[in-house]
């Protein structure tokens, strides 16, 4: 005779019974006072801990939501601040550009006043040869603006070079630091003559050019003396500042001195120049008439 298998009590019925039991306890808790009843005891040990757990979960979820909102707000504020910083930086850059342009215009004005005896045209540097130095460079003025070969070019208040080639709207300038440049100059303090020569190797090594043949018979020339173009030069107008003596020594002939000069013009950052619209030859001819 086969024994009947015991049927398991369905889980859904157990869940239903527990739910009814909880509802009964909750109903009793509403009707009964909270003084020491059995229902209160059950509530104290069962319901209240459950409520605390639910409250803790709710609090945790609220905190998570608040943290998320706060993080999102901070991210939005950070993005807004970054945009504000970028805008301010752009404004600052524009102010710096405007300041640099103003300084360049002031320098051009000062040069224009210094050389007011000569007609001049302002020009922008638009190209240069390879290398760190503006040994030869192009400007945006040419024959249409009255520029011709042999005209002197000044910048930063000093001699920059001479026009060697010219087109309708451009000109090529050979600067005084170029290896092929030789300028007849004099020591402004003593009046002694010398030849200032371009020297790119010296420029690369020390940022200086060289001079030679200083006939300082009275031994009066000293370091720091200003050097200007001389009146005997065939190519350069007289008394244009060139630079300052940084070092000198007696030549082997015991008669002349040689040394180095720091140029007034910054030949690494040329942007604006003036072309004097007269050549040394034309000025000499006009003086002879």
């Amino acid at each position: 005779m086969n024994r009947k298998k015991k049927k398991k009590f369905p889980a859904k019925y157990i869940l239903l019974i527990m739910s009814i039991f909880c509802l009964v306890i909750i109903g009793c808790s509403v009707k009964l006072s909270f003084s020491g009843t059995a229902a209160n005891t059950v509530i104290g040990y069962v319901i209240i801990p459950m409520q605390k757990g639910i409250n803790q979960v709710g609090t945790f979820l609220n905190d998570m939501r608040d943290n998320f909102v706060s993080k999102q707000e901070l991210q939005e504020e950070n993005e807004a601040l970054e945009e504000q910083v970028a805008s301010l930086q752009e404004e600052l850059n524009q102010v710096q550009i405007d300041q640099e342009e103003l300084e360049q215009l002031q320098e051009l004005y000062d040069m224009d006043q210094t050389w007011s005896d000569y007609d001049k045209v302002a020009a922008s540097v638009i190209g240069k040869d390879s290398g760190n130095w503006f040994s030869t460079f192009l400007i945006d003025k040419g024959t249409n603006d009255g520029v011709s070969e042999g005209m002197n070019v000044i910048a930063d208040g000093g001699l920059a070079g001479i026009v060697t080639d010219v087109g309708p709207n451009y000109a090529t300038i050979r600067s005084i630091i170029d290896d092929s440049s030789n300028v007849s100059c004099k020591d402004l303090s003593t009046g002694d003559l010398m030849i200032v020569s371009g020297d790119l190797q010296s420029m690369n090594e020390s940022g200086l050019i060289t001079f030679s043949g200083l006939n300082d018979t009275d031994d009066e020339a000293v370091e720091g003396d200003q050097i200007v173009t001389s009146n005997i030069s065939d190519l350069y107008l007289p008394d244009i500042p060139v630079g300052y003596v940084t070092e000198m020594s007696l030549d082997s002939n015991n008669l002349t001195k040689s040394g180095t000069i720091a140029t007034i013009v910054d030949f690494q950052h040329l942007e604006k120049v003036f072309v004097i619209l007269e050549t040394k030859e034309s000025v000499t001819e006009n003086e002879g008439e």
Side-chain angles (χ1 to χ4, degrees):
M1 184 174 178
N2 293 333
R3 294 180 180 178
K4 294 182 178 179
K5 293 183 179 179
K6 293 182 179 179
K7 294 182 178 180
K8 293 183 179 179
F9 197 72
K12 61 182 180 180
Y13 294 133
I14 295 174
L15 180 60
L16 178 60
I17 292 170
M18 291 182 65
S19 299
I20 294 171
F21 176 72
C22 290
L23 289 173
V24 171
I25 291 174
I26 293 170
C28 292
S29 68
V30 172
K31 293 180 180 180
L32 298 176
S33 63
F34 288 88
S35 55
T37 63
N40 286 339
T41 302
V42 173
I43 290 171
Y45 284 99
V46 179
I47 302 302
I48 291 177
M50 290 177 63
Q51 289 179 337
K52 288 183 177 180
I54 292 171
N55 289 337
Q56 289 176 351
V57 172
T59 302
F60 174 75
L61 292 176
N62 284 332
D63 291 342
M64 288 286 290
R65 183 197 63 188
D66 293 341
N67 288 336
F68 177 76
V69 172
S70 298
K71 184 177 180 181
Q72 193 172 23
E73 290 176 348
L74 287 173
Q75 187 173 357
E76 291 174 355
E77 290 178 1
N78 185 54
E79 291 175 355
L81 287 173
E82 287 179 352
E83 291 178 0
Q84 186 177 3
V85 169
S87 177
L88 290 173
Q89 184 62 50
E90 185 177 351
E91 291 179 6
L92 178 60
N93 291 340
Q94 187 60 49
V95 169
Q96 290 176 337
I97 292 172
D98 293 341
Q99 180 65 29
E100 290 175 359
E101 290 179 350
L102 179 61
E103 291 175 355
Q104 290 176 358
L105 290 173
Q106 183 63 49
E107 290 175 357
L108 288 174
Y109 175 78
D110 292 341
M111 280 195 293
D112 185 47
Q113 296 302 303
T114 301
W115 303 98
S116 58
D117 293 340
Y118 297 108
D119 291 330
K120 299 171 296 297
V121 61
S124 296
V125 177
I126 57 174
K128 61 183 287 293
D129 56 351
S130 60
N132 297 327
W133 306 98
F134 286 75
S135 56
T136 59
F137 56 91
L138 288 176
I139 60 174
D140 62 351
K141 294 293 189 295
T143 54
N144 292 342
D145 308 284
V147 177
S148 62
E149 291 184 23
M151 289 182 172
N152 295 181
V153 179
I154 57 177
D156 302 332
L159 181 64
I162 192 168
V163 177
T164 57
D165 184 45
V166 63
N169 57 0
Y170 74 90
T172 302
I173 313 302
R174 182 185 67 216
S175 74
I176 62 172
I177 67 170
D178 189 76
D179 288 333
S180 60
S181 174
N182 289 287
V183 184
S184 176
C185 295
K186 67 178 180 180
D187 186 312
L188 188 61
S189 298
T190 66
D192 294 321
L193 301 177
M194 67 181 72
I195 297 295
V196 174
S197 303
D199 191 334
L200 288 177
Q201 181 177 348
S202 178
M203 289 293 293
N204 287 325
E205 293 174 354
S206 61
L208 306 172
I209 56 176
T210 60
F211 73 87
S212 60
L214 174 62
N215 189 17
D216 182 27
T217 55
D218 297 326
D219 202 26
E220 294 179 347
V222 296
E223 294 177 3
D225 282 355
Q226 185 176 22
I227 306 303
V228 300
T229 53
S230 72
N231 59 340
I232 66 170
S233 173
D234 293 331
L235 299 176
Y236 296 93
L237 299 168
D239 298 324
I240 302 177
V242 173
Y244 298 90
V245 175
T246 59
E247 184 179 357
M248 69 173 67
S249 60
L250 188 64
D251 294 330
S252 57
N253 59 17
N254 293 323
L255 297 175
T256 58
K257 294 180 179 179
S258 301
T260 55
I261 292 174
T263 61
I264 291 176
V265 177
D266 181 358
F267 286 102
Q268 273 191 311
H269 307 97
L270 273 180
E271 295 183 11
K272 301 287 187 180
V273 298
F274 263 126
V275 180
I276 298 176
L277 298 178
E278 295 183 63
T279 63
K280 178 61 180 295
E281 182 180 2
S282 64
V283 171
T284 302
E285 290 175 355
N286 290 335
E287 289 176 350
E289 293 179 355

